[in-house]
């Protein structure tokens, strides 16, 4: 699977709130680090984070604008939005640096500004 295909499948799992499917794209020892938050280490911690966010989090959107691939690494430009209590969407742009080994994500690190 190409990096672009892997990222597309991961995002598709996120969009359907499928924490188990999303987590399957990460290696057992993977690191997942959202901007402004502590990094998560290991597939089990990542799964729990996804489950909790999908269950308890606000309505949200995640749109990929572009993916630049270089071997087993990629930069993913995206827009992430959450729906506030007033009903308005609050959107921010970001970029994730992604590294894979053996067809699984071993490191996902987000930045936004």
């Amino acid at each position: 699977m190409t990096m672009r295909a892997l990222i597309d499948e991961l995002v598709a799992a996120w969009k359907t709130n499928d924490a188990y499917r999303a987590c399957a794209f990460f290696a057992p020892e993977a690191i997942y680090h959202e901007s402004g938050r502590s990094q998560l280490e290991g597939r089990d911690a990542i799964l729990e984070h996804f489950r909790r966010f999908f269950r308890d989090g606000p309505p949200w959107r995640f749109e990929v604008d572009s993916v630049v691939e270089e071997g087993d690494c990629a930069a993913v430009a995206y827009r992430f939005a959450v729906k506030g209590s007033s009903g308005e969407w609050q959107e921010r742009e970001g970029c994730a640096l992604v590294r894979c080994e053996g067809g699984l994500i071993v490191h996902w690190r987000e930045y936004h500004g």
Side-chain angles (χ1 to χ4, degrees):
M1 177 181 303
T2 66
M3 284 289 291
R4 179 60 197 238
L6 185 142
I7 291 164
D8 287 346
E9 289 294 321
L10 171 61
V11 171
W14 282 342
K15 287 182 175 184
T16 60
N17 294 326
D18 189 338
Y20 291 98
R21 182 170 161 234
C23 196
F25 294 103
F26 289 86
E29 71 284 356
I31 293 173
Y32 180 80
H33 195 171
E34 292 178 347
S35 183
R37 297 188 178 266
S38 298
Q39 79 178 19
L40 301 171
E41 297 181 18
R43 187 185 284 157
D44 291 341
I46 296 167
L47 172 63
E48 183 54 35
H49 171 72
F50 291 164
R51 288 180 62 213
R52 188 174 43 252
F53 181 76
F54 296 156
R55 182 187 63 230
D56 302 331
W60 61 279
R61 299 187 304 228
F62 189 95
E63 299 298 328
V64 173
D65 293 321
S66 63
V67 177
V68 177
E69 300 175 62
E70 179 73 29
D72 286 339
C73 295
V76 180
Y78 64 84
R79 287 171 287 123
F80 177 75
V82 295
K83 195 173 206 179
S85 58
S86 65
E88 291 187 28
W89 286 97
Q90 301 164 359
E91 184 174 86
R92 72 171 195 242
E93 295 178 335
C95 180
L97 300 180
V98 184
R99 187 167 50 87
C100 288
E101 291 178 7
L104 295 173
I105 297 170
V106 294
H107 196 209
W108 178 284
R109 174 67 167 102
E110 295 179 0
Y111 301 88
H112 70 82

